[in-house]
Amino acid sequence: MKKVRELSILCDVEAGAIVFNGPSDPQPEVWPDHEGVQQVIERCQAKQNNLNGEESIQKRINKGKELLMRRREENHREEISQLMILCMAGKTMPSQKDWPDMKMLAEQTLKNINWTEQESAKENENLTDQHLQHGMDIGNMEGYMGIDACEMPQPPSKIANYLYVPSFYNPFSP
């Protein structure tokens, strides 16, 4: 307790101490007193809450700055895009400082187009694979239904809208 008191005086800080002498001692030793220790604990908690509040505010400020930067970039891209449209229409000429941004936007647009084209090709490939698989299924059913896999089905007969009757099988033909 003496050392805590000396630190408090020498460093000019608020201090408090709670010392348990062991499981047999139900009352801890407290310095300066119970109220003084309670005040030190409350002040520490208040400072911690303030720090947490400051951290929270700083995080929100940083998120706001990031959002602002993204919006500025989006606005700049939109301005360059509009400038490119005006240039292609022959209504204006870009300044030298706009050329690098226009080039970058054109390259990014081409990358996006290529990516979209690749994704579309993958989808078409998957659909083609599914159609081929379906064709093989029909081919496997040749013997069962008496249908040649290479035959092209004819338009449905007019017996009913919901009934498909291929042209090679028509029970109503003479």
Side-chain angles (χ1 to χ4, degrees), residues 115-155:
W115 182 84
T116 303
E117 184 179 37
Q118 290 171 354
E119 290 300 311
S120 178
K122 287 179 187 176
E123 285 181 25
N124 287 340
E125 192 174 290
N126 289 340
L127 287 175
T128 303
D129 290 345
Q130 290 173 359
H131 286 116
L132 287 174
Q133 180 63 39
H134 181 67
M136 287 192 283
D137 291 345
I138 291 174
N140 292 338
M141 295 170 50
E142 281 181 40
Y144 178 72
M145 297 188 70
I147 301 172
D148 184 4
C150 295
E151 272 186 37
M152 293 297 290
Q154 300 298 320

Side-chain angles (χ1 to χ4, degrees), residues 12-166:
D12 193 27
V13 294
E14 294 181 48
I18 303 172
V19 179
F20 285 93
N21 290 329
S24 61
D25 188 13
Q27 285 292 0
E29 206 174 320
V30 179
W31 182 86
D33 55 25
H34 288 289
E35 287 178 23
V37 169
Q38 186 64 34
Q39 288 175 355
V40 170
I41 291 172
E42 287 173 1
R43 285 188 187 120
C44 287
Q45 288 174 340
K47 285 183 181 183
Q48 177 125 8
N49 289 340
N50 284 341
L51 288 177
N52 288 342
E54 288 175 16
E55 288 174 13
S56 174
I57 291 170
Q58 190 60 44
K59 284 180 184 178
R60 289 192 305 191
I61 290 171
N62 290 340
K63 284 182 182 181
K65 285 179 179 179
E66 289 173 15
L67 180 63
L68 179 63
M69 291 292 290
R70 278 195 307 262
R71 295 285 164 84
R72 282 182 179 161
E73 289 172 7
E74 290 171 6
N75 288 342
H76 184 67
R77 276 195 305 269
E78 184 63 29
E79 288 172 359
I80 295 298
S81 179
Q82 293 297 322
L83 179 62
M84 287 176 72
I85 291 169
L86 292 173
C87 289
M88 287 188 275
K91 295 183 179 183
T92 188
M93 284 298 292
S95 66
Q96 265 189 327
K97 72 176 184 79
D98 292 329
W99 279 109
D101 291 335
M102 289 176 64
K103 180 181 176 187
M104 186 177 65
L105 182 63
E107 289 172 351
Q108 183 62 43
T109 302
L110 286 173
K111 284 181 186 177
N112 291 343
I113 290 170
N114 289 336
W115 182 84
T116 303
E117 184 179 37
Q118 290 171 354
E119 290 300 311
S120 178
K122 287 179 187 176
E123 285 181 25
N124 287 340
E125 192 174 290
N126 289 340
L127 287 175
T128 303
D129 290 345
Q130 290 173 359
H131 286 116
L132 287 174
Q133 180 63 39
H134 181 67
M136 287 192 283
D137 291 345
I138 291 174
N140 292 338
M141 295 170 50
E142 281 181 40
Y144 178 72
M145 297 188 70
I147 301 172
D148 184 4
C150 295
E151 272 186 37
M152 293 297 290
Q154 300 298 320
S157 77
K158 297 181 182 180
I159 295 174
N161 289 337
Y162 60 87
L163 179 63
Y164 177 79
V165 180

